[in-house]
Amino acid sequence: MSLVKNLGYWDRVKEHATETQAILAINASTYTWNETGNYGMLYGAIKYHDTLHRTAVELNSVTALNKDGTLVIGANLDTAYNAFETTPILMKDGQVVYVAPETESRAALSAIGQTADGKTLILAASGGPYGSNLGITPSEALKILQDYGAVNAVCLSGGSRTMMYWNGRYVVEAVNYQSEGVKLPNAIVVKPAALVPGLMTTESKNETNQEVDSSSQENVANTNNQSSTKEG
């Protein structure tokens, strides 16, 4: 996750990605944005790297991204490593909890989910001007994430605040705002594995295993040579 250094001064999603050297960044917490005054109002809890910056409004709507990458819906703020508040919750522990209203309108929407084996799913759908019915509904977002195997899922701050920055460019831009979108207090970011402390990729594991195997073979060879010399 990424968090601005001062909650009184927010950054655009591009800056969140650049600051953290991330290859992907997307909006996280629920908030409102005043374009005229160029300021935002944050909703709910914020916890970053085990430090609590804001308390929760509704404990059931706290989402955590823990140090091991686990996504927890309705998380305990005391034990969460990174946490923010957003709604609606779509799924929790394999059970659908979202109850759709009688009518749902499509709009720009973003969501995050996770599969039973720990794969994180990030969804962002662009929309159009208010009332255009372009984008997706929360129910449709839920169906997409379920199709990819999600057992936990929650919508992020959506509508005109939906933005995704990937590999140096915006792939989903905010609706009704300038191209780089509104500013954000925090963002969900995805970093290259090499930049995540303590994370060993499959390639690096293979390289390490090859080094160990090579070292073991050298030790065996040295031991055999020493045995031959002694026998001689």
Side-chain angles (χ1 to χ4, degrees):
M1 223 173 88
S2 169
L3 179 69
V4 291
K5 295 177 181 177
N6 184 334
L7 282 175
Y9 298 92
W10 298 1
D11 285 331
R12 302 192 192 281
V13 69
K14 177 180 178 180
E15 277 75 52
H16 282 277
T18 303
E19 183 71 22
T20 58
Q21 297 180 280
I23 56 174
L24 182 147
I26 190 170
N27 54 291
S29 283
T30 296
Y31 67 98
T32 57
W33 182 257
N34 186 309
E35 181 71 6
T36 304
N38 197 38
Y39 67 89
M41 295 291 291
L42 179 61
Y43 175 85
I46 290 283
K47 192 172 185 181
Y48 179 68
H49 288 191
D50 215 22
T51 299
L52 185 65
H53 295 269
R54 282 177 57 96
T55 57
V57 174
E58 296 180 28
L59 293 177
N60 290 336
S61 63
V62 173
T63 295
L65 278 169
N66 287 323
K67 203 169 186 178
D68 62 356
T70 304
L71 178 71
V72 183
I73 307 296
N76 184 337
L77 265 181
D78 292 334
T79 58
Y81 184 67
N82 293 314
F84 56 95
E85 205 164 336
T86 183
T87 56
I89 294 170
L90 303 175
M91 292 186 71
K92 181 177 179 181
D93 300 330
Q95 300 296 316
V96 173
V97 297
Y98 177 67
V99 179
E102 290 185 7
T103 58
E104 282 187 302
S105 298
R106 290 188 175 92
L109 183 147
S110 53
I112 185 170
Q114 196 165 68
T115 63
D117 60 357
K119 292 185 178 69
T120 300
L121 309 170
I122 295 176
L123 168 68
S126 58
Y130 181 76
S132 65
N133 205 33
L134 297 175
I136 60 176
T137 66
S139 294
E140 290 169 333
L142 171 61
K143 178 63 168 58
I144 292 169
L145 293 170
Q146 282 182 305
D147 287 346
Y148 280 90
V151 294
N152 285 297
V154 63
C155 286
L156 306 173
S157 186
S160 59
R161 299 171 295 279
T162 298
M163 293 166 284
M164 180 183 282
Y165 187 80
W166 176 77
N167 204 23
R169 65 190 180 94
Y170 284 88
V171 291
V172 175
E173 297 181 355
V175 181
N176 295 338
Y177 292 98
Q178 54 188 294
S179 61
E180 292 195 348
V182 297
K183 294 181 179 180
L184 308 171
N186 59 356
I188 295 170
V189 297
V190 177
K191 299 181 183 180
L195 297 179
V196 181
L199 180 64
M200 184 177 285
T201 63
T202 302
E203 291 180 358
S204 60
K205 284 180 181 178
N206 290 338
E207 290 173 359
T208 301
N209 290 337
Q210 289 171 4
E211 290 174 2
V212 171
D213 290 342
S214 175
S215 175
S216 299
Q217 290 170 4
E218 289 176 3
N219 289 335
V220 170
N222 289 337
T223 302
N224 290 336
N225 289 337
Q226 290 172 5
S227 298
S228 300
T229 303
K230 288 179 180 178
E231 291 174 1

